[in-house]
Amino acid sequence: MAGNGAGNGAGIGAGTGGAAGGPAAAGGALLALLLLLGLEAAAGAALLDLAGQAGPALLAALGNLLACLRFGLTLRPGREPLVSRYARCDAAGMPDADGRYTRRLTLLWALLLGGFALGFLAAAGLGGAGPLARLQPLACLGLFLGEHALRRRRFPGLGPVSPLGTLRAIWLCHGPLRPHLRPLVRPPVRHGA
């Protein structure tokens, strides 16, 4: 919704201060965006209030569902799995040439987040999402750190594999420099060949 407000509001200030795209247009677009964000926040707060005690669990279910879809939709035929995209931006490089490892890891993240979405949805009906809310960060951190240990062990020819390197790769993949990025992939180091 917010993106539509920015595009539709761009003309608000255009008639009041010169050429389209000038400072007045930018100010009008910003004002429209802020207004739209305020309306979205108020609507969200009203919906959470209507949901009562189930509100936080429903919100957590929605957030997990969106994250699950973010991973899962990249597994469709012809698409690059999300973890493969991140691995291309990682200085350590791609774990395997055929991408099976990163595809499976993308699927695992989608399943974990989808499971939590279903769990929070069930907790909304039962009225208690507290234990699930405490379990999710531990499960996600465990998968994130455990995968790094597994990757180091399964692919010893990779460059330095670290959680910080992965976070950097994710930031580079989604960050403001993305259009100007070239993948940081380097050929794997072959030992004894």
Side-chain angles (χ1 to χ4, degrees):
M1 281 187 160
N4 290 341
N8 294 338
I12 291 174
T16 61
L30 180 62
L31 181 62
L33 178 62
L34 290 175
L35 180 62
L36 185 60
L37 289 174
L39 288 172
E40 286 180 15
L47 287 173
L48 281 175
D49 188 49
L50 285 174
Q53 285 187 331
L58 291 174
L59 188 60
L62 178 63
N64 276 288
L65 177 63
L66 292 175
C68 167
L69 289 173
R70 176 76 174 118
F71 281 92
L73 291 175
T74 65
L75 293 170
R76 294 185 321 215
R79 301 278 314 265
E80 180 182 35
L82 187 58
V83 176
S84 297
R85 194 174 317 151
Y86 294 156
R88 281 190 300 107
C89 293
D90 195 337
M94 288 287 285
D96 54 352
D98 62 3
R100 284 179 34 179
Y101 180 82
T102 53
R103 177 170 287 283
R104 288 177 179 166
L105 185 56
T106 301
L107 177 62
L108 185 58
W109 274 108
L111 291 173
L112 178 70
L113 295 166
F116 274 109
L118 290 174
F120 278 111
L121 195 57
L126 299 174
L132 200 53
R134 288 186 287 279
L135 174 64
Q136 184 174 5
L138 296 175
C140 290
L141 183 63
L143 175 57
F144 185 72
L145 296 177
E147 184 278 323
H148 284 83
L150 176 67
R151 191 172 4 144
R152 264 188 240 110
R153 189 175 194 149
R154 264 192 83 191
F155 305 102
L158 283 179
V161 174
S162 74
L164 287 177
T166 298
L167 292 174
R168 179 180 178 274
I170 292 169
W171 183 83
L172 286 172
C173 188
H174 293 292
L177 301 176
R178 186 180 68 136
H180 308 292
L181 260 185
R182 286 186 299 186
L184 300 174
V185 176
R186 56 186 173 174
V189 178
R190 303 283 182 203
H191 298 287

